Amino acid sequence: MKQIEIYDTTLRDGSQAEDIAFSVEDKLRITEKLDEFGIHYIEGGWPGSNPKDAEYFKKVRRLTLLNSVVVAFGSTHRPRHKVHDDANIKTLIDSKANIVTIFGKTWDFHVKEALRISLEENLDIIYNSISYLKKHVEKVFFDAEHFFDGYKDNPEFAIKCLLAAEDAGADCIIPCDTNGGTLPHDIKRIMQDVIKRVKRPLGIHAHNDSECAVVNSIVAVELGAVQVQGTINGLGERCGNANLCSIIPNLQIKLGYRCLSDENLRKLRDVSRFVNEISNIRHFKRQPFVGDSAFAHKGGIHVSAIRKRPETYEHIKPELVGNSTRVLISDLAGKSNIIRKAEEFNIHLDADSPQVQGVLDKLKDLEHQGFQFEGAEASFELILKKELGLHRRFFDLIGFRVIDEKRKEKEPPLSEATIMVKVGKYIEHTAATGNGPVNALDNALRKALEKFYPELKSVKLHDYKVRVLTAGKGTAAKVRVLIESGDDRHKWGTVGVSENIIEASWQALVDSIEYKLLKEKE
Ligand SMILES: CC(=O)SCCNC(=O)CCNC(=O)[C@H](O)C(C)(C)COP(=O)(O)OP(=O)(O)OC[C@H]1O[C@@H](n2cnc3c(N)ncnc32)[C@H](O)[C@@H]1OP(=O)(O)O
Ligand SMILES: CC(=O)C(=O)O
């Protein structure tokens, strides 16, 4: 099984993505996570760029890494500077990283227009930078910036740049698709020539501007590249870098290369979520392999088939990357969705039972009215249990009143709710205020019930979303309220629909509380 070296540049190229700003602490935490995951090289940053990256290289030395080597990144020396006087080269050595990656120009257009030097001088800069660094660090990798665009314009010069790096002793030469515009057939054609002419180990560094970074990286590996550079979740400059969360499983599960241990591959989803969490980015549902929807099945036909053989609609076993199969509940469901979902609730239903058809009909009718159960599985579980006679009432509403009052233009409005509920033979009548009418109602309902059900104290409202369903009816429109609640262990979603926003919110709130009480009882 051929080993492929995974080179992660989330902390350097990933931090060049819009909206991403890692602190030193963030970078150290991601480093530890990537080490635990088994990444071979972690490009920690550009020490000559800013004090934060310089500090990172000081602090990262204190970590005990078991699997990864931290790499410092920078450019070849500046034109009109001697290599030993170049501030950037000096900071790379001062970073004390054992491996350094430098990028150099390989596109004649860039040499002429960005550096404004001769092509010969550029070759000298590459050679001098690498041979000097080789005297100070264990290994030097050469990122051949804009190599594919350079090759398209002037193949001989582009190849000469790689050969200058080879002659200088670069340990790995990495052609880069810096502008991300190269298509797979060109990657193949160009890499075939590179492989014939360059003897050092080769890598690939692809950007995703044509949405081809993953496939371009895989094509390069198939042709012989041994190092893949990319980022977790494809973070990176402009449209991002090659997404390691797709490349690694494709190489390992489908093509038989070895990137990480199989055990570590099962951490893929966790690593992906961790990096999103630190980056303050919402996890992308439809992200292949690691997204919540990557193995989620909605259509009845699909669910019916995966119950028989999961591989009918799943390209890999989700557990291999730490993900799992999910079944969604909607008006596209068939009986199989109901049966499979019920199994998740430990209820075994017979496909021919009239109850299954009853639940399905009810579900489709409610979805037609505007309910949506994909994000409100707790409400669906309650419906199912009501239909099967497995539900019990925990309280009955006698009535509520919500008052919203604004006394002066400049004063904030006041919201107050009073509620009367019956729990067994007791009647409880309470009032509460809130920062809005729904919050006041929520507070009043909990206050009334907590005396009987103290477990409700741990329930928190995490999210509250309102969606207008009947376009064109303005403030008289029907609305759907989706609530996400949680306690110290779980989160659950509930839904309500009405032309009255308080009523829709009430339905979702009651479901949330009933769900919690039902779970405690179970
Ligand atoms: C393809 C890539 O992603 S490469 C990585 C890109 N990442 C970054 O740029 C982030 C970090 N960068 C920085 O912090 C800053 O740009 C620094 C510290 C590196 C340089 O800052 P400054 O000295 O102010 O220069 P500035 O950013 O304006 O311009 C870049 C300079 O590097 C030169 N340069 C660009 N590529 C190379 C190279 N491969 N080798 C040598 N010099 C280079 C440019 O010609 C330009 O020089 P000039 O000012 O003489 O025209
Ligand atoms: C080096 C690099 O990040 C690039 O060429 O895209």
Side-chain angles (χ1 to χ4, degrees):
M1 197 185 270
K2 188 172 169 191
Q3 177 75 49
I4 299 299
E5 292 183 336
I6 303 297
Y7 182 109
D8 180 281
T9 175
T10 306
L11 300 180
R12 197 278 299 173
D13 220 338
S15 75
Q16 288 175 220
E18 188 167 7
D19 300 332
I20 300 292
F22 296 128
S23 65
V24 176
E25 271 318 304
D26 293 340
K27 284 184 156 225
L28 293 169
R29 286 183 67 195
I30 292 177
T31 303
E32 283 180 307
K33 193 77 177 175
L34 295 177
D35 174 57
E36 188 192 306
F37 186 41
I39 292 287
H40 304 102
Y41 302 111
I42 301 172
E43 192 173 83
W46 182 335
S49 163
N50 56 71
K52 189 169 70 183
D53 279 12
E55 187 185 335
Y56 165 84
F57 280 96
K58 274 192 197 133
K59 291 195 168 161
V60 79
R61 291 202 293 273
R62 295 185 209 143
L63 301 182
T64 310
L65 302 181
L66 299 177
N67 300 302
S68 309
V69 180
V70 173
V71 180
F73 178 86
S75 74
T76 49
H77 78 77
R78 288 286 182 92
R80 296 167 284 280
H81 284 68
K82 295 278 177 230
V83 62
H84 51 269
D85 289 335
D86 187 273
N88 167 55
I89 298 279
K90 189 169 167 341
T91 54
L92 287 172
I93 297 167
D94 290 348
S95 76
K96 299 203 166 52
N98 290 331
I99 304 183
V100 160
T101 295
I102 53 164
F103 74 96
K105 305 285 184 203
T106 62
W107 187 0
D108 58 358
F109 168 65
H110 258 266
V111 175
K112 289 179 208 152
E113 297 301 330
L115 295 186
R116 305 217 156 146
I117 55 173
S118 70
L119 301 188
E120 273 312 311
E121 201 178 335
N122 186 63
L123 296 176
D124 288 345
I125 284 177
I126 294 173
Y127 182 88
N128 292 341
S129 302
I130 297 174
S131 48
Y132 179 76
L133 282 167
K134 279 288 286 185
K135 291 183 199 133
H136 293 87
V137 298
E138 244 170 58
K139 283 187 186 174
V140 179
F141 296 156
F142 179 61
D143 271 1
E145 194 194 9
H146 290 112
F147 176 76
F148 294 95
D149 291 319
Y151 185 99
K152 286 178 218 160
D153 267 8
N154 185 344
E156 280 317 307
F157 174 69
I159 293 279
K160 271 189 192 166
C161 292
L162 303 190
L163 295 177
E166 180 168 79
D167 289 347
D171 294 276
C172 187
I173 294 173
I174 302 101
C176 302
D177 185 28
T178 305
N179 290 1
T182 309
L183 298 180
H185 68 285
D186 272 335
I187 297 279
K188 181 173 175 194
R189 173 177 68 83
I190 296 169
M191 281 303 279
Q192 277 170 335
D193 191 29
V194 171
I195 277 158
K196 274 193 230 136
R197 297 167 72 176
V198 176
K199 299 293 162 256
R200 304 300 299 171
L202 291 165
I204 180 75
H205 175 117
H207 277 262
N208 202 30
D209 303 65
S210 304
E211 193 94 309
C212 288
V214 168
V215 68
N216 285 347
S217 305
I218 293 171
V219 167
V221 168
E222 286 279 77
L223 290 167
V226 292
Q227 181 185 109
V228 178
Q229 300 195 348
T231 59
I232 300 297
N233 301 328
L235 290 179
E237 185 99 32
R238 302 184 308 278
C239 311
N241 281 59
N243 186 355
L244 291 177
C245 294
S246 297
I247 293 173
I248 295 172
N250 274 321
L251 288 180
Q252 187 144 327
I253 300 170
K254 309 230 173 120
L255 294 170
Y257 294 96
R258 185 163 181 88
C259 304
L260 315 164
S261 69
D262 289 341
E263 194 191 333
N264 281 0
L265 189 55
R266 290 174 193 271
K267 299 177 187 161
L268 187 72
R269 179 173 175 275
D270 173 46
V271 170
S272 158
R273 294 185 88 90
F274 179 87
V275 170
N276 276 340
E277 210 46 62
I278 302 258
S279 314
N280 206 11
I281 292 178
R282 240 184 135 86
H283 198 59
F284 178 43
K285 270 193 166 184
R286 287 184 293 283
Q287 188 170 330
F289 296 99
V290 294
D292 287 348
S293 304
F295 302 95
H297 306 282
K298 186 161 167 179
I301 303 283
H302 294 219
V303 178
S304 158
I306 61 142
R307 288 188 65 232
K308 294 166 189 142
R309 294 291 298 261
E311 56 281 35
T312 49
Y313 285 99
E314 289 180 348
H315 68 131
I316 60 159
K317 286 193 170 80
E319 308 79 57
L320 295 177
V321 290
N323 212 336
S324 53
T325 299
R326 290 174 58 230
V327 168
L328 305 177
I329 290 295
S330 75
D331 55 358
L332 298 179
K335 281 187 281 194
S336 299
N337 299 59
I338 308 291
I339 295 166
R340 174 65 192 256
K341 204 77 212 167
E343 278 165 8
E344 285 176 23
F345 310 146
N346 288 323
I347 301 170
H348 296 281
L349 293 174
D350 181 7
D352 300 325
S353 105
Q355 286 169 317
V356 175
Q357 191 61 50
V359 174
L360 187 61
D361 292 344
K362 173 117 194 162
L363 168 72
K364 295 208 178 198
D365 178 44
L366 287 171
E367 289 251 340
H368 184 60
Q369 289 175 39
F371 284 80
Q372 198 199 56
F373 293 96
E374 256 184 75
E377 290 198 355
S379 287
F380 175 72
E381 187 172 340
L382 292 172
I383 290 174
L384 182 77
K385 287 185 173 163
K386 279 177 194 162
E387 288 290 312
L388 299 178
L390 299 172
H391 180 261
R392 59 160 270 210
R393 291 196 76 80
F394 293 92
F395 66 94
D396 289 300
L397 175 73
I398 298 176
F400 70 69
R401 180 186 304 172
V402 181
I403 304 167
D404 226 18
E405 196 181 3
K406 187 169 174 77
R407 292 186 188 136
K408 280 194 192 135
E409 188 56 53
K410 289 205 170 117
E411 276 183 14
L414 297 170
S415 301
E416 189 189 328
T418 49
I419 193 164
M420 202 185 283
V421 289
K422 188 162 180 245
V423 182
K425 56 184 186 329
Y426 301 101
I427 290 185
E428 188 69 18
H429 186 187
T430 52
T433 54
N435 59 13
V438 176
N439 183 236
L441 186 59
D442 182 26
N443 291 342
L445 178 61
R446 284 157 191 265
K447 201 166 149 193
L449 294 176
E450 271 173 18
K451 190 163 133 188
F452 305 97
Y453 304 112
E455 59 269 39
L456 290 178
K457 286 199 175 94
S458 65
V459 178
K460 303 252 171 328
L461 215 105
H462 289 284
D463 202 4
Y464 173 83
K465 283 195 205 107
V466 182
R467 169 99 192 256
V468 174
L469 297 175
T470 37
K473 288 187 90 183
T475 46
K478 196 185 240 190
V479 294
R480 173 168 62 226
V481 168
L482 276 169
I483 287 182
E484 191 182 65
S485 316
D487 56 18
D488 24 6
R489 283 171 298 147
H490 303 292
K491 281 189 179 171
W492 57 92
T494 52
V495 63
V497 171
S498 169
E499 273 152 7
N500 180 322
I501 191 169
I502 305 283
E503 169 60 17
S505 307
W506 168 256
Q507 292 167 9
L509 281 173
V510 169
D511 270 9
S512 166
I513 283 176
E514 286 207 337
Y515 180 80
K516 165 72 180 172
L517 296 175
L518 196 69
K519 288 288 139 186
E520 287 293 323
K521 193 168 154 282
E522 282 172 2

